Amino acid sequence: MLSSIIAILLLGFFGGQLARRLKLPALVGMVLVGIVLGPQVGDRLSLTMLALADDLRTIAVMVILMKAGLGLDREKLKQQGSVALRLGFLPASLEAIAVALMAMVLFQFDFATGLLLGCIVGAESPAVIVPGMLRLKSLGWGVKKGIPDAILTGSALSDVLLLLVFSLLLAFLAQGGAEGLTVGNISLSALQLLPLQIVLQIGLGIACGGAMAKILVSLLAKQNWTQTAVQDGLVAASLALFLVVSSTQLPIFSGYLAVMTTGFFLIELDAPLARRLRGSFDGLWTIAEIFLFVLLGASIQLSVLESSLLPGLLLLMVGTLLGRGLGWYLSTLGSNWNAREKLFLLPGNSAKATVQAALGAVPLSQGIAGGDIILAMAALSILVTAPLGAWAIPTFAPKLLQKGTVDPTKVSVNQSLTILAAVDTSAIAKQVLTKVAELARRNDARVVVLHVIQLADPPGVENLREQTKQILADIRHQFIVTEGVVPEQILRTAQEQGAEEIILGKRGHSVLDDLLLGSVSQYLLATSVLPVMVVESEDRVSLSRAH
């Protein structure tokens, strides 16, 4: 068990990083590691770990849905409410129907069995779509029209719908018919009950999420039961998981929708708490995504793909391009989305992974005719669409979406901060390095220390290098020495290194220097598009932002 955990974490992490270096999504590397470690190839995972795979995947999906809820924007949802609602029902439903019709032709399924397959294949993957949309929100792509928010909400609603239809069809096929409901003289069939079940699952899911958000605010913000952000995250994750587990024991509400709604209501009830929890769940996702995608790869049955590969690819193509494509068109009809934004739904709203991994083997285990083919199609949909979706979302967003202003109160902006410190060999260099060290530790930033050589300067460079090494000992830094015109070299290096801020010192004490901030500082303030911080020799700091 422990060796399996070590293998999953280490090999999954480095497999993901290797995929990134090859310009592929990290998900691809993690899934491949899972295939190699899984029973189909290397068989290096313990039976206990494989038995826990479904539970671990559930925890991972809970984490990513809470992140999604904490990243939703009420104003953008209000703006795109009708589109989000239609995205929650039309694309998935029409894809499921298209898949059912194709399965009748390709595999000679009856319509009920084909629709069972359609419900599995048509479900969207929160494990791929949610981090992809949150990444777009953190970069500003499509945020002006709320496109990532509409896709996030629609994805959650569509999975509620398809999971309900799946459970109904499974009972119908396994038991020869699904039970209805009789109240007095009124009898309703299972099919007639379906709309009521959908409304109940969604309504109670939202209500449970709102109630849980109030409980979390009371425990963590008003009564102060916790002292750190880690403790906040522990309590919130445990209660969110309680919602998911409760929904399986009491299937009258959607646990996943309740978790996502909890995060959404937390933003409305207590924005500072939501911000703290957003950071905690970012950390949890770092671990959860490795388990999710490695175990996803381990669950894929490669052997069942051989005989149905080409028909399966045709089925996926028809389901996505015709069924889901028609759903996208109807969902965005009359909206303010332009043609390029509508086209983005193809890469942004097609990925399959989590639901397919969880449900793919269920029909086979229940003895449903054609269960082996259903399992093969579920595995194929993961192998084809999950890597493509994870790659296509960040690739096509800059080409198809407009970039807007990022709202840091709604999403974590994860980026590597680089600070450029321009220093000379005078005494002010120590103050500049001390200030930049303080800022770097506060923001976990990387520091580039730049020294532009002046006349007869080289003897002092080694002392400056040693001083840099001592003051920035615990900070990622790079020491660069160059020649040329000082302000021009500072701006050039800042651009090459991708710096977000420039810090330099001011030695002058005269009234004229006080007015001008020195010639170099004045030039940078007049020309730099980056913020410029000037450290004065009297231990005073002047912060000026270039226009």
Side-chain angles (χ1 to χ4, degrees):
M1 179 70 173
L2 289 178
S3 61
S4 296
I5 292 175
I6 293 170
I8 289 172
L9 287 174
L10 286 180
L11 296 180
F13 173 77
F14 285 108
Q17 295 306 307
L18 179 60
R20 275 204 177 99
R21 296 194 176 193
L22 295 174
K23 307 302 182 183
L24 296 171
L27 173 153
V28 175
M30 295 176 191
V31 170
L32 290 176
V33 166
I35 292 174
V36 172
L37 293 177
Q40 299 295 305
V41 181
D43 197 19
R44 305 307 301 173
L45 300 179
S46 69
L47 294 177
T48 306
M49 176 58 68
L50 292 175
L52 290 173
D54 287 342
D55 292 334
L56 292 172
R57 278 196 295 263
T58 298
I59 295 173
V61 173
M62 175 275 295
V63 172
I64 196 60
L65 286 174
M66 180 62 98
K67 276 173 58 68
L70 290 167
L72 287 177
D73 188 327
R74 180 172 59 87
E75 294 301 322
K76 296 297 188 298
L77 274 180
K78 185 178 179 181
Q79 177 185 343
Q80 298 292 342
S82 61
V83 176
L85 190 62
R86 281 180 281 169
L87 282 174
F89 293 96
L90 292 175
S93 301
L94 293 176
E95 181 180 10
I97 293 172
V99 168
L101 296 175
M102 285 299 298
M104 294 173 67
V105 174
L106 296 174
F107 305 123
Q108 286 73 54
F109 283 2
D110 57 52
F111 183 74
T113 306
L115 192 58
L116 187 73
L117 172 61
C119 289
I120 295 176
V121 172
E124 299 154 23
S125 171
V128 178
I129 292 175
V130 172
M133 292 304 109
L134 292 181
R135 174 67 175 165
L136 296 189
K137 283 169 66 70
S138 70
L139 296 174
W141 293 113
V143 297
K144 185 175 181 180
K145 294 183 180 179
I147 292 173
D149 291 287
I151 292 175
L152 283 172
T153 306
S155 177
L157 292 176
S158 69
D159 285 351
V160 172
L161 169 65
L162 291 187
L163 286 173
L164 282 172
V165 177
F166 173 83
S167 61
L168 175 67
L169 289 170
L170 188 66
F172 179 84
L173 292 169
Q175 302 171 10
E179 296 182 1
L181 177 66
T182 301
V183 180
N185 296 325
I186 301 176
S187 296
L188 297 175
S189 67
L191 188 60
Q192 291 171 323
L193 283 173
L194 183 60
L196 178 61
Q197 288 179 294
I198 293 173
V199 172
L200 192 66
Q201 289 253 344
I202 293 174
L204 289 181
I206 294 173
C208 289
M212 185 59 72
K214 291 182 179 179
I215 291 172
L216 286 171
V217 170
S218 177
L219 292 174
L220 306 182
K222 295 181 179 179
Q223 299 182 27
N224 295 318
W225 283 92
T226 57
Q227 290 78 45
T228 66
V230 174
Q231 292 175 343
D232 289 340
L234 175 64
V235 173
S238 300
L239 291 178
L241 188 60
F242 170 75
L243 284 175
V244 176
V245 174
S246 298
S247 68
T248 61
Q249 303 298 320
L250 190 65
I252 60 173
F253 72 97
S254 170
Y256 286 146
L257 183 61
V259 169
M260 190 170 173
T261 306
T262 299
F264 174 74
F265 278 115
L266 279 170
I267 300 173
E268 302 300 314
L269 295 173
D270 195 313
L273 175 61
R275 179 177 55 80
R276 293 202 306 273
L277 288 177
R278 195 177 295 128
S280 297
F281 277 88
D282 284 344
L284 286 174
W285 176 242
T286 301
I287 300 174
E289 71 170 332
I290 297 175
F291 276 101
L292 177 64
F293 291 119
V294 171
L295 292 175
L296 198 64
S299 69
I300 293 175
Q301 302 287 326
L302 297 178
S303 57
V304 297
L305 291 175
E306 297 178 7
S307 60
S308 53
L309 180 60
L310 292 179
L313 291 174
L314 179 60
L315 180 141
L316 291 176
M317 187 180 302
V318 171
T320 299
L321 297 181
L322 294 184
R324 186 166 282 271
L326 177 60
W328 291 330
Y329 172 76
L330 295 175
S331 297
T332 55
L333 197 64
S335 70
N336 63 347
W337 295 26
N338 60 39
R340 297 168 69 87
E341 290 163 344
K342 293 177 181 179
L343 185 60
F344 176 72
L345 287 170
L346 177 58
N349 190 232
S350 305
K352 330 284 184 184
T354 319
V355 176
Q356 290 71 23
L359 300 183
V362 173
L364 182 62
S365 66
Q366 295 288 324
I368 304 297
D372 55 339
I373 295 178
I374 292 176
L375 176 60
M377 293 302 96
L380 185 63
S381 67
I382 295 170
L383 288 173
V384 173
T385 65
L388 276 178
W391 166 78
I393 289 172
T395 301
F396 287 98
K399 297 177 174 63
L400 300 176
L401 301 180
Q402 297 177 352
K403 192 166 187 177
T405 303
V406 178
D407 185 352
T409 67
K410 298 296 189 298
V411 67
S412 298
V413 182
N414 295 320
Q415 60 182 10
S416 178
L417 181 65
T418 299
I419 301 174
L420 175 68
V423 295
D424 56 19
T425 56
S426 67
I428 192 66
K430 183 177 181 179
Q431 292 177 254
V432 174
L433 292 172
T434 301
K435 172 54 67 174
V436 79
E438 174 189 336
L439 294 174
R441 291 188 184 100
R442 189 183 305 161
N443 298 283
D444 191 26
R446 166 178 169 263
V447 175
V448 175
V449 179
L450 173 67
H451 175 65
V452 182
I453 294 177
Q454 302 297 296
L455 296 175
D457 199 29
V461 174
E462 288 305 314
N463 292 333
L464 184 60
R465 191 189 302 272
E466 289 300 317
Q467 194 174 44
T468 299
K469 188 182 298 184
Q470 179 182 359
I471 296 175
L472 304 180
D474 61 332
I475 296 168
R476 292 170 296 161
H477 68 275
Q478 180 180 359
F479 189 88
I480 297 176
V481 178
T482 186
E483 297 182 6
V485 180
V486 176
E488 293 179 0
Q489 291 300 315
I490 291 174
L491 292 177
R492 181 185 63 80
T493 305
Q495 182 179 12
E496 291 177 352
Q497 296 293 325
E500 282 78 26
E501 186 169 3
I502 299 172
I503 300 179
L504 71 160
K506 172 192 163 210
R507 287 181 291 174
H509 297 276
S510 69
V511 175
L512 183 60
D513 281 334
D514 286 336
L515 291 174
L516 298 182
L517 292 178
S519 58
V520 174
S521 303
Q522 183 189 31
Y523 181 86
L524 291 176
L525 290 170
T527 59
S528 175
V529 296
L530 301 175
V532 178
M533 177 180 286
V534 180
V535 179
E536 298 185 357
S537 58
E538 292 82 10
D539 293 329
R540 293 181 287 125
V541 177
S542 173
L543 176 60
S544 303
R545 188 173 297 275
H547 59 271

